[in-house]
Amino acid sequence: MNNKVILFIICIVTVSCGKNQELHFIDFVDIDAIENVEMSNNSGVFTLNKKQLIQFKKEIASLTYEPSYTVKVGAINMSLTINGKSYLMATATHGDYVEIDIGLVTKNAFKFENPFFKTNGINFDNYKKE
């Protein structure tokens, strides 16, 4: 009887922890496949250089997934090229959220409910033409 109670408690804890697992951009998008990023922000329209692209990939990997959330975005637009195809991302200046093209999602699609990710303080206006 005691073993059944312990097993039940372990099952409850395991299920509870699994439901609260925080997901990130990298859990849905193959970041390594991003070949090119065209940025449109307060600095104008330009293509990220190699150094900027590496930094961009590192930063977007940490975007936190926000299921069942909606926000208004705009002002800053990014076009990500993967396998020769362009996918859009948008956010606002100093925005808390970014909206992505659902075509970017190639992993864990069954967990993907909406296209919003928390920026976690990333300011996409910091990217400038170099």
Side-chain angles (χ1 to χ4, degrees):
M1 186 75 149
N2 220 359
N3 288 340
K4 288 182 181 180
V5 171
I6 293 171
L7 182 60
F8 178 74
I9 291 171
I10 290 172
C11 288
I12 295 296
V13 169
T14 302
V15 170
S16 296
C17 291
K19 286 184 179 180
N20 294 329
Q21 181 183 8
E22 190 171 72
L23 295 170
H24 297 90
F25 193 82
I26 197 167
D27 294 317
F28 295 101
V29 179
D30 183 6
I31 292 175
D32 293 331
I34 298 172
E35 305 159 0
N36 183 42
V37 174
E38 183 177 275
M39 178 76 65
S40 174
N41 63 16
N42 289 328
S43 297
V45 179
F46 56 95
T47 301
L48 299 184
N49 63 30
K50 288 182 182 183
K51 181 180 174 185
Q52 290 173 314
L53 184 59
I54 291 168
Q55 181 64 29
F56 179 83
K57 289 179 180 183
K58 181 181 173 186
E59 287 186 330
I60 65 171
S62 67
L63 298 175
T64 306
Y65 181 56
E66 292 284 335
S68 303
Y69 203 89
T70 60
V71 294
K72 183 176 180 178
V73 295
I76 298 176
N77 295 289
M78 297 155 273
S79 177
L80 286 62
T81 304
I82 298 176
N83 297 323
K85 187 173 179 186
S86 294
Y87 302 91
L88 298 178
M89 287 178 51
T91 189
T93 300
H94 304 289
D96 292 326
Y97 294 89
V98 64
E99 181 178 11
I100 71 163
D101 183 327
I102 60 171
L104 282 167
V105 177
T106 58
K107 304 187 288 186
N108 296 312
F110 64 95
K111 295 181 181 180
F112 192 76
E113 297 174 20
N114 71 35
F116 297 101
F117 289 83
K118 189 166 177 57
T119 61
N120 299 326
I122 297 169
N123 183 354
F124 292 99
D125 260 333
N126 288 337
Y127 288 93
K128 301 189 182 336
K129 184 175 184 177
E130 291 184 5

